[in-house]
mmCIF file of all heavy atoms in Angstrom:
data_model
loop_
_atom_site.group_PDB
_atom_site.id
_atom_site.type_symbol
_atom_site.label_atom_id
_atom_site.label_comp_id
_atom_site.label_asym_id
_atom_site.label_seq_id
_atom_site.Cartn_x
_atom_site.Cartn_y
_atom_site.Cartn_z
ATOM 1 N N VAL E 1 141.332 109.319 183.066
ATOM 2 C CA VAL E 1 142.286 108.866 182.068
ATOM 3 C C VAL E 1 143.341 108.023 182.795
ATOM 4 O O VAL E 1 144.100 108.534 183.638
ATOM 5 C CB VAL E 1 142.961 109.997 181.314
ATOM 6 C CG1 VAL E 1 143.987 109.451 180.262
ATOM 7 C CG2 VAL E 1 141.908 110.893 180.749
ATOM 8 N N PHE E 2 143.395 106.658 182.533
ATOM 9 C CA PHE E 2 144.235 105.753 183.321
ATOM 10 C C PHE E 2 143.935 105.868 184.823
ATOM 11 O O PHE E 2 144.867 105.823 185.615
ATOM 12 C CB PHE E 2 145.716 106.021 182.995
ATOM 13 C CG PHE E 2 146.093 105.663 181.585
ATOM 14 C CD1 PHE E 2 146.436 106.744 180.676
ATOM 15 C CD2 PHE E 2 146.125 104.310 181.095
ATOM 16 C CE1 PHE E 2 146.763 106.402 179.396
ATOM 17 C CE2 PHE E 2 146.437 104.027 179.796
ATOM 18 C CZ PHE E 2 146.678 105.116 178.956
ATOM 19 N N GLY E 3 142.685 106.104 185.132
ATOM 20 C CA GLY E 3 142.317 106.164 186.568
ATOM 21 C C GLY E 3 142.443 107.475 187.224
ATOM 22 O O GLY E 3 141.985 107.637 188.465
ATOM 23 N N ARG E 4 142.907 108.453 186.592
ATOM 24 C CA ARG E 4 143.061 109.822 187.113
ATOM 25 C C ARG E 4 142.044 110.740 186.603
ATOM 26 O O ARG E 4 141.874 110.945 185.326
ATOM 27 C CB ARG E 4 144.517 110.363 186.846
ATOM 28 C CG ARG E 4 144.789 111.689 187.574
ATOM 29 C CD ARG E 4 146.224 112.060 187.308
ATOM 30 N NE ARG E 4 146.627 113.262 188.090
ATOM 31 C CZ ARG E 4 146.502 114.553 187.764
ATOM 32 N NH1 ARG E 4 145.826 114.804 186.626
ATOM 33 N NH2 ARG E 4 146.837 115.499 188.600
ATOM 34 N N ALA E 5 141.293 111.386 187.377
ATOM 35 C CA ALA E 5 140.211 112.379 186.969
ATOM 36 C C ALA E 5 140.821 113.525 186.275
ATOM 37 O O ALA E 5 141.873 114.084 186.749
ATOM 38 C CB ALA E 5 139.282 112.747 188.140
ATOM 39 N N GLN E 6 140.177 114.012 185.203
ATOM 40 C CA GLN E 6 140.647 115.290 184.613
ATOM 41 C C GLN E 6 140.328 116.461 185.480
ATOM 42 O O GLN E 6 139.179 116.673 186.003
ATOM 43 C CB GLN E 6 139.821 115.528 183.273
ATOM 44 C CG GLN E 6 140.325 114.436 182.204
ATOM 45 C CD GLN E 6 139.568 114.649 180.905
ATOM 46 O OE1 GLN E 6 138.467 115.253 180.873
ATOM 47 N NE2 GLN E 6 140.158 114.372 179.805
ATOM 48 N N ARG E 7 141.306 117.310 185.710
ATOM 49 C CA ARG E 7 141.232 118.312 186.762
ATOM 50 C C ARG E 7 141.235 119.773 186.044
ATOM 51 O O ARG E 7 141.643 119.839 184.876
ATOM 52 C CB ARG E 7 142.317 118.248 187.784
ATOM 53 C CG ARG E 7 142.464 116.833 188.358
ATOM 54 C CD ARG E 7 143.367 116.694 189.480
ATOM 55 N NE ARG E 7 143.453 115.272 189.970
ATOM 56 C CZ ARG E 7 144.072 114.950 191.036
ATOM 57 N NH1 ARG E 7 144.647 115.866 191.806
ATOM 58 N NH2 ARG E 7 144.055 113.691 191.427
ATOM 59 N N VAL E 8 140.741 120.690 186.851
ATOM 60 C CA VAL E 8 140.754 122.079 186.391
ATOM 61 C C VAL E 8 142.033 122.824 186.900
ATOM 62 O O VAL E 8 141.958 123.382 187.958
ATOM 63 C CB VAL E 8 139.463 122.824 186.854
ATOM 64 C CG1 VAL E 8 139.433 124.230 186.312
ATOM 65 C CG2 VAL E 8 138.167 122.033 186.422
ATOM 66 N N GLY E 9 143.126 122.675 186.260
ATOM 67 C CA GLY E 9 144.413 123.258 186.626
ATOM 68 C C GLY E 9 144.776 122.778 188.099
ATOM 69 O O GLY E 9 144.680 121.622 188.376
ATOM 70 N N ASP E 10 145.147 123.751 188.860
ATOM 71 C CA ASP E 10 145.518 123.422 190.308
ATOM 72 C C ASP E 10 144.506 123.766 191.243
ATOM 73 O O ASP E 10 144.711 124.001 192.444
ATOM 74 C CB ASP E 10 146.831 124.162 190.574
ATOM 75 C CG ASP E 10 147.971 123.659 189.659
ATOM 76 O OD1 ASP E 10 147.957 122.466 189.379
ATOM 77 O OD2 ASP E 10 148.928 124.521 189.494
ATOM 78 N N ARG E 11 143.221 124.081 190.812
ATOM 79 C CA ARG E 11 142.170 124.585 191.684
ATOM 80 C C ARG E 11 141.698 123.523 192.490
ATOM 81 O O ARG E 11 141.638 122.334 192.072
ATOM 82 C CB ARG E 11 141.031 125.168 190.844
ATOM 83 C CG ARG E 11 141.443 126.420 190.033
ATOM 84 C CD ARG E 11 140.218 127.022 189.328
ATOM 85 N NE ARG E 11 139.181 127.424 190.248
ATOM 86 C CZ ARG E 11 139.139 128.534 190.848
ATOM 87 N NH1 ARG E 11 140.132 129.415 190.700
ATOM 88 N NH2 ARG E 11 138.148 128.836 191.739
ATOM 89 N N THR E 12 141.288 123.821 193.756
ATOM 90 C CA THR E 12 140.799 122.792 194.746
ATOM 91 C C THR E 12 139.410 123.476 195.249
ATOM 92 O O THR E 12 139.060 124.517 194.854
ATOM 93 C CB THR E 12 141.794 122.597 195.885
ATOM 94 O OG1 THR E 12 141.925 123.818 196.583
ATOM 95 C CG2 THR E 12 143.128 122.147 195.246
ATOM 96 N N THR E 13 138.944 122.679 196.136
ATOM 97 C CA THR E 13 137.608 123.068 196.754
ATOM 98 C C THR E 13 137.833 124.310 197.662
ATOM 99 O O THR E 13 136.930 125.065 197.935
ATOM 100 C CB THR E 13 137.025 121.948 197.632
ATOM 101 O OG1 THR E 13 137.986 121.446 198.486
ATOM 102 C CG2 THR E 13 136.555 120.839 196.789
ATOM 103 N N LEU E 14 139.102 124.543 198.077
ATOM 104 C CA LEU E 14 139.363 125.733 198.971
ATOM 105 C C LEU E 14 139.267 127.038 198.133
ATOM 106 O O LEU E 14 139.225 128.076 198.623
ATOM 107 C CB LEU E 14 140.824 125.612 199.462
ATOM 108 C CG LEU E 14 141.016 124.438 200.414
ATOM 109 C CD1 LEU E 14 142.509 124.467 200.990
ATOM 110 C CD2 LEU E 14 140.007 124.422 201.559
ATOM 111 N N HIS E 15 139.269 126.890 196.766
ATOM 112 C CA HIS E 15 139.072 128.113 195.836
ATOM 113 C C HIS E 15 137.600 128.374 195.661
ATOM 114 O O HIS E 15 137.253 129.233 194.947
ATOM 115 C CB HIS E 15 139.780 127.909 194.575
ATOM 116 C CG HIS E 15 141.230 127.800 194.690
ATOM 117 N ND1 HIS E 15 141.924 126.660 194.884
ATOM 118 C CD2 HIS E 15 142.241 128.873 194.681
ATOM 119 C CE1 HIS E 15 143.264 126.873 194.957
ATOM 120 N NE2 HIS E 15 143.507 128.191 194.847
ATOM 121 N N ASP E 16 136.751 127.431 196.129
ATOM 122 C CA ASP E 16 135.235 127.531 195.874
ATOM 123 C C ASP E 16 134.551 128.087 197.057
ATOM 124 O O ASP E 16 134.982 127.772 198.287
ATOM 125 C CB ASP E 16 134.770 126.255 195.532
ATOM 126 C CG ASP E 16 133.289 126.308 194.901
ATOM 127 O OD1 ASP E 16 132.362 126.399 195.619
ATOM 128 O OD2 ASP E 16 133.279 126.185 193.660
ATOM 129 N N PRO E 17 133.431 128.860 197.059
ATOM 130 C CA PRO E 17 132.804 129.348 198.223
ATOM 131 C C PRO E 17 132.267 128.289 199.087
ATOM 132 O O PRO E 17 131.959 128.568 200.244
ATOM 133 C CB PRO E 17 131.644 130.148 197.578
ATOM 134 C CG PRO E 17 132.170 130.529 196.163
ATOM 135 C CD PRO E 17 133.019 129.418 195.739
ATOM 136 N N ILE E 18 132.075 127.036 198.644
ATOM 137 C CA ILE E 18 131.571 126.019 199.494
ATOM 138 C C ILE E 18 132.492 125.728 200.707
ATOM 139 O O ILE E 18 132.116 125.141 201.702
ATOM 140 C CB ILE E 18 131.340 124.687 198.774
ATOM 141 C CG1 ILE E 18 132.570 124.113 198.169
ATOM 142 C CG2 ILE E 18 130.245 124.960 197.697
ATOM 143 C CD1 ILE E 18 132.431 122.808 197.533
ATOM 144 N N ALA E 19 133.792 126.065 200.513
ATOM 145 C CA ALA E 19 134.814 125.930 201.560
ATOM 146 C C ALA E 19 134.679 126.903 202.788
ATOM 147 O O ALA E 19 135.243 126.631 203.749
ATOM 148 C CB ALA E 19 136.285 125.889 201.034
ATOM 149 N N GLU E 20 133.862 127.923 202.539
ATOM 150 C CA GLU E 20 133.762 128.902 203.655
ATOM 151 C C GLU E 20 132.984 128.260 204.806
ATOM 152 O O GLU E 20 133.128 128.794 205.963
ATOM 153 C CB GLU E 20 132.899 130.058 203.108
ATOM 154 C CG GLU E 20 133.617 130.821 202.044
ATOM 155 C CD GLU E 20 132.725 131.975 201.507
ATOM 156 O OE1 GLU E 20 131.602 132.124 201.984
ATOM 157 O OE2 GLU E 20 133.190 132.716 200.548
ATOM 158 N N SER E 21 132.271 127.198 204.620
ATOM 159 C CA SER E 21 131.607 126.622 205.854
ATOM 160 C C SER E 21 132.469 125.676 206.594
ATOM 161 O O SER E 21 132.122 125.226 207.674
ATOM 162 C CB SER E 21 130.354 125.799 205.344
ATOM 163 O OG SER E 21 130.761 124.796 204.412
ATOM 164 N N LEU E 22 133.702 125.446 206.185
ATOM 165 C CA LEU E 22 134.667 124.585 206.853
ATOM 166 C C LEU E 22 135.401 125.343 207.952
ATOM 167 O O LEU E 22 135.689 126.562 207.756
ATOM 168 C CB LEU E 22 135.607 123.929 205.926
ATOM 169 C CG LEU E 22 135.094 122.980 204.931
ATOM 170 C CD1 LEU E 22 136.161 122.527 203.896
ATOM 171 C CD2 LEU E 22 134.472 121.761 205.566
ATOM 172 N N ARG E 23 135.667 124.649 209.044
ATOM 173 C CA ARG E 23 136.531 125.338 210.046
ATOM 174 C C ARG E 23 137.942 125.331 209.576
ATOM 175 O O ARG E 23 138.367 124.618 208.584
ATOM 176 C CB ARG E 23 136.477 124.507 211.393
ATOM 177 C CG ARG E 23 135.080 124.546 211.927
ATOM 178 C CD ARG E 23 135.108 124.040 213.424
ATOM 179 N NE ARG E 23 135.767 122.687 213.523
ATOM 180 C CZ ARG E 23 135.174 121.557 213.514
ATOM 181 N NH1 ARG E 23 133.860 121.433 213.385
ATOM 182 N NH2 ARG E 23 135.842 120.360 213.561
ATOM 183 N N ASP E 24 138.809 126.087 210.200
ATOM 184 C CA ASP E 24 140.160 126.287 209.806
ATOM 185 C C ASP E 24 140.859 124.919 209.834
ATOM 186 O O ASP E 24 141.754 124.617 208.997
ATOM 187 C CB ASP E 24 140.932 127.348 210.573
ATOM 188 C CG ASP E 24 140.385 128.664 210.281
ATOM 189 O OD1 ASP E 24 139.794 128.947 209.168
ATOM 190 O OD2 ASP E 24 140.516 129.599 211.089
ATOM 191 N N ASP E 25 140.593 124.144 210.875
ATOM 192 C CA ASP E 25 141.306 122.852 211.040
ATOM 193 C C ASP E 25 140.810 121.817 210.055
ATOM 194 O O ASP E 25 141.370 120.717 209.959
ATOM 195 C CB ASP E 25 141.284 122.314 212.444
ATOM 196 C CG ASP E 25 139.810 122.151 212.929
ATOM 197 O OD1 ASP E 25 138.913 122.897 212.311
ATOM 198 O OD2 ASP E 25 139.539 121.325 213.806
ATOM 199 N N GLU E 26 139.740 122.012 209.374
ATOM 200 C CA GLU E 26 139.146 121.052 208.462
ATOM 201 C C GLU E 26 139.578 121.380 206.988
ATOM 202 O O GLU E 26 139.401 120.514 206.168
ATOM 203 C CB GLU E 26 137.595 121.034 208.524
ATOM 204 C CG GLU E 26 137.066 120.613 209.862
ATOM 205 C CD GLU E 26 135.596 120.659 209.876
ATOM 206 O OE1 GLU E 26 134.956 121.507 209.122
ATOM 207 O OE2 GLU E 26 134.919 119.946 210.667
ATOM 208 N N LYS E 27 140.064 122.491 206.691
ATOM 209 C CA LYS E 27 140.323 122.861 205.297
ATOM 210 C C LYS E 27 141.470 121.994 204.716
ATOM 211 O O LYS E 27 141.316 121.635 203.537
ATOM 212 C CB LYS E 27 140.685 124.283 205.171
ATOM 213 C CG LYS E 27 139.447 125.172 205.494
ATOM 214 C CD LYS E 27 139.758 126.717 205.343
ATOM 215 C CE LYS E 27 138.587 127.552 205.556
ATOM 216 N NZ LYS E 27 138.812 129.047 205.446
ATOM 217 N N ASP E 28 142.471 121.678 205.498
ATOM 218 C CA ASP E 28 143.562 120.773 204.917
ATOM 219 C C ASP E 28 143.050 119.464 204.713
ATOM 220 O O ASP E 28 143.495 118.754 203.784
ATOM 221 C CB ASP E 28 144.731 120.829 205.817
ATOM 222 C CG ASP E 28 145.432 122.193 205.878
ATOM 223 O OD1 ASP E 28 145.265 122.959 204.926
ATOM 224 O OD2 ASP E 28 146.150 122.496 206.939
ATOM 225 N N ARG E 29 142.124 118.927 205.618
ATOM 226 C CA ARG E 29 141.683 117.639 205.554
ATOM 227 C C ARG E 29 140.742 117.377 204.327
ATOM 228 O O ARG E 29 140.689 116.302 203.713
ATOM 229 C CB ARG E 29 140.969 117.207 206.834
ATOM 230 C CG ARG E 29 140.617 115.716 206.917
ATOM 231 C CD ARG E 29 139.686 115.447 208.159
ATOM 232 N NE ARG E 29 139.929 116.396 209.208
ATOM 233 C CZ ARG E 29 139.128 116.560 210.311
ATOM 234 N NH1 ARG E 29 137.971 115.846 210.306
ATOM 235 N NH2 ARG E 29 139.366 117.371 211.308
ATOM 236 N N TYR E 30 139.924 118.351 204.067
ATOM 237 C CA TYR E 30 138.897 118.227 203.012
ATOM 238 C C TYR E 30 139.253 119.108 201.761
ATOM 239 O O TYR E 30 138.451 119.840 201.267
ATOM 240 C CB TYR E 30 137.478 118.615 203.603
ATOM 241 C CG TYR E 30 137.006 117.743 204.660
ATOM 242 C CD1 TYR E 30 136.994 118.160 205.944
ATOM 243 C CD2 TYR E 30 136.587 116.422 204.389
ATOM 244 C CE1 TYR E 30 136.508 117.438 206.992
ATOM 245 C CE2 TYR E 30 136.178 115.601 205.399
ATOM 246 C CZ TYR E 30 136.155 116.034 206.695
ATOM 247 O OH TYR E 30 135.747 115.216 207.726
ATOM 248 N N CYS E 31 140.490 119.071 201.398
ATOM 249 C CA CYS E 31 140.937 119.819 200.235
ATOM 250 C C CYS E 31 141.019 118.868 199.039
ATOM 251 O O CYS E 31 141.838 118.003 198.919
ATOM 252 C CB CYS E 31 142.363 120.413 200.525
ATOM 253 S SG CYS E 31 143.057 121.361 199.119
ATOM 254 N N TYR E 32 139.963 118.937 198.222
ATOM 255 C CA TYR E 32 139.890 118.007 197.018
ATOM 256 C C TYR E 32 140.090 118.849 195.766
ATOM 257 O O TYR E 32 139.655 120.049 195.641
ATOM 258 C CB TYR E 32 138.464 117.488 197.018
ATOM 259 C CG TYR E 32 138.133 116.633 198.187
ATOM 260 C CD1 TYR E 32 137.177 116.992 199.092
ATOM 261 C CD2 TYR E 32 138.766 115.341 198.387
ATOM 262 C CE1 TYR E 32 136.761 116.195 200.195
ATOM 263 C CE2 TYR E 32 138.382 114.495 199.500
ATOM 264 C CZ TYR E 32 137.429 114.997 200.370
ATOM 265 O OH TYR E 32 137.143 114.215 201.363
ATOM 266 N N PRO E 33 140.605 118.184 194.736
ATOM 267 C CA PRO E 33 140.888 118.944 193.506
ATOM 268 C C PRO E 33 139.568 119.107 192.771
ATOM 269 O O PRO E 33 138.542 118.264 192.881
ATOM 270 C CB PRO E 33 141.847 117.986 192.705
ATOM 271 C CG PRO E 33 141.559 116.651 193.263
ATOM 272 C CD PRO E 33 141.304 116.900 194.711
ATOM 273 N N GLN E 34 139.426 120.168 192.019
ATOM 274 C CA GLN E 34 138.254 120.436 191.197
ATOM 275 C C GLN E 34 138.450 119.682 189.831
ATOM 276 O O GLN E 34 139.480 119.803 189.287
ATOM 277 C CB GLN E 34 138.030 121.917 190.929
ATOM 278 C CG GLN E 34 137.720 122.741 192.192
ATOM 279 C CD GLN E 34 137.289 124.159 191.846
ATOM 280 O OE1 GLN E 34 137.015 124.416 190.744
ATOM 281 N NE2 GLN E 34 137.340 125.074 192.869
ATOM 282 N N VAL E 35 137.427 119.022 189.465
ATOM 283 C CA VAL E 35 137.426 118.144 188.259
ATOM 284 C C VAL E 35 136.531 118.732 187.154
ATOM 285 O O VAL E 35 135.648 119.547 187.465
ATOM 286 C CB VAL E 35 136.989 116.678 188.520
ATOM 287 C CG1 VAL E 35 138.081 116.064 189.542
ATOM 288 C CG2 VAL E 35 135.605 116.676 189.161
ATOM 289 N N ARG E 36 136.903 118.366 185.855
ATOM 290 C CA ARG E 36 136.052 118.763 184.768
ATOM 291 C C ARG E 36 134.765 118.020 184.784
ATOM 292 O O ARG E 36 134.813 116.837 184.742
ATOM 293 C CB ARG E 36 136.773 118.483 183.449
ATOM 294 C CG ARG E 36 138.077 119.416 183.352
ATOM 295 C CD ARG E 36 138.714 119.320 181.936
ATOM 296 N NE ARG E 36 139.994 120.074 181.898
ATOM 297 C CZ ARG E 36 139.991 121.367 181.648
ATOM 298 N NH1 ARG E 36 138.832 121.999 181.450
ATOM 299 N NH2 ARG E 36 141.048 121.952 181.566
ATOM 300 N N VAL E 37 133.693 118.766 184.810
ATOM 301 C CA VAL E 37 132.340 118.149 184.752
ATOM 302 C C VAL E 37 131.737 118.164 183.419
ATOM 303 O O VAL E 37 131.769 119.126 182.707
ATOM 304 C CB VAL E 37 131.442 118.898 185.778
ATOM 305 C CG1 VAL E 37 129.976 118.263 185.794
ATOM 306 C CG2 VAL E 37 131.948 118.863 187.149
ATOM 307 N N ILE E 38 131.330 116.977 183.001
ATOM 308 C CA ILE E 38 130.717 116.815 181.648
ATOM 309 C C ILE E 38 129.235 117.121 181.744
ATOM 310 O O ILE E 38 128.575 116.326 182.421
ATOM 311 C CB ILE E 38 130.972 115.358 181.112
ATOM 312 C CG1 ILE E 38 132.514 115.106 181.000
ATOM 313 C CG2 ILE E 38 130.400 115.269 179.693
ATOM 314 C CD1 ILE E 38 132.922 113.755 180.571
ATOM 315 N N PRO E 39 128.746 118.104 181.120
ATOM 316 C CA PRO E 39 127.321 118.483 181.246
ATOM 317 C C PRO E 39 126.336 117.515 180.469
ATOM 318 O O PRO E 39 126.908 116.692 179.687
ATOM 319 C CB PRO E 39 127.336 119.905 180.568
ATOM 320 C CG PRO E 39 128.365 119.874 179.726
ATOM 321 C CD PRO E 39 129.490 118.986 180.216
ATOM 322 N N PRO E 40 125.086 117.664 180.662
ATOM 323 C CA PRO E 40 124.119 116.735 179.876
ATOM 324 C C PRO E 40 124.247 117.019 178.444
ATOM 325 O O PRO E 40 124.548 118.143 177.988
ATOM 326 C CB PRO E 40 122.819 117.153 180.479
ATOM 327 C CG PRO E 40 123.123 117.832 181.746
ATOM 328 C CD PRO E 40 124.416 118.506 181.721
ATOM 329 N N GLY E 41 124.091 115.948 177.662
ATOM 330 C CA GLY E 41 124.130 116.147 176.249
ATOM 331 C C GLY E 41 124.917 114.925 175.580
ATOM 332 O O GLY E 41 124.991 113.778 176.154
ATOM 333 N N GLY E 42 125.473 115.147 174.433
ATOM 334 C CA GLY E 42 126.206 114.128 173.705
ATOM 335 C C GLY E 42 125.682 113.991 172.277
ATOM 336 O O GLY E 42 124.951 114.758 171.821
ATOM 337 N N PRO E 43 126.259 113.038 171.607
ATOM 338 C CA PRO E 43 127.132 111.975 172.175
ATOM 339 C C PRO E 43 128.553 112.580 172.263
ATOM 340 O O PRO E 43 129.005 113.444 171.533
ATOM 341 C CB PRO E 43 127.165 110.968 170.984
ATOM 342 C CG PRO E 43 126.773 111.687 169.764
ATOM 343 C CD PRO E 43 125.901 112.821 170.131
ATOM 344 N N TYR E 44 129.177 112.040 173.289
ATOM 345 C CA TYR E 44 130.631 112.243 173.590
ATOM 346 C C TYR E 44 131.442 111.093 173.263
ATOM 347 O O TYR E 44 130.951 110.003 173.001
ATOM 348 C CB TYR E 44 130.914 112.591 174.995
ATOM 349 C CG TYR E 44 130.065 113.819 175.497
ATOM 350 C CD1 TYR E 44 128.975 113.669 176.254
ATOM 351 C CD2 TYR E 44 130.507 115.149 175.247
ATOM 352 C CE1 TYR E 44 128.283 114.756 176.767
ATOM 353 C CE2 TYR E 44 129.844 116.216 175.662
ATOM 354 C CZ TYR E 44 128.653 116.029 176.468
ATOM 355 O OH TYR E 44 127.939 117.195 176.904
ATOM 356 N N PHE E 45 132.722 111.246 173.088
ATOM 357 C CA PHE E 45 133.698 110.133 172.797
ATOM 358 C C PHE E 45 134.811 109.931 173.772
ATOM 359 O O PHE E 45 135.243 110.881 174.408
ATOM 360 C CB PHE E 45 134.277 110.372 171.413
ATOM 361 C CG PHE E 45 135.168 109.281 170.928
ATOM 362 C CD1 PHE E 45 134.668 108.107 170.408
ATOM 363 C CD2 PHE E 45 136.573 109.394 171.095
ATOM 364 C CE1 PHE E 45 135.581 107.080 169.972
ATOM 365 C CE2 PHE E 45 137.454 108.359 170.691
ATOM 366 C CZ PHE E 45 136.915 107.083 170.157
ATOM 367 N N LYS E 46 135.058 108.685 174.117
ATOM 368 C CA LYS E 46 136.166 108.307 174.982
ATOM 369 C C LYS E 46 136.928 107.146 174.302
ATOM 370 O O LYS E 46 136.427 106.342 173.651
ATOM 371 C CB LYS E 46 135.584 107.888 176.399
ATOM 372 C CG LYS E 46 134.837 106.595 176.320
ATOM 373 C CD LYS E 46 134.445 106.179 177.776
ATOM 374 C CE LYS E 46 133.759 104.758 177.777
ATOM 375 N NZ LYS E 46 134.709 103.795 177.334
#
């Protein structure tokens, strides 16, 4: 929306188990927000 992805509150990838494979010094560098994923289907409206 106006170039900003819809997000899931304040959750980031550090709240997801996939971040367990990162080293401690990489967690701040690869901290991305979690976004709302639109599943298969439709029709949707924008």
Side-chain angles (χ1 to χ4, degrees):
V1 181
F2 294 110
R4 189 178 188 273
Q6 292 183 332
R7 310 188 180 192
V8 183
D10 295 330
R11 295 183 62 84
T12 65
T13 51
L14 299 183
H15 296 90
D16 195 279
I18 63 174
E20 295 177 358
S21 58
L22 295 174
R23 300 192 304 267
D24 292 338
D25 59 333
E26 295 177 334
K27 291 184 177 180
D28 292 338
R29 191 191 327 167
Y30 297 106
C31 180
Y32 299 112
Q34 294 187 17
V35 296
R36 296 186 181 277
V37 179
I38 302 175
Y44 300 105
F45 181 77
K46 70 177 183 66

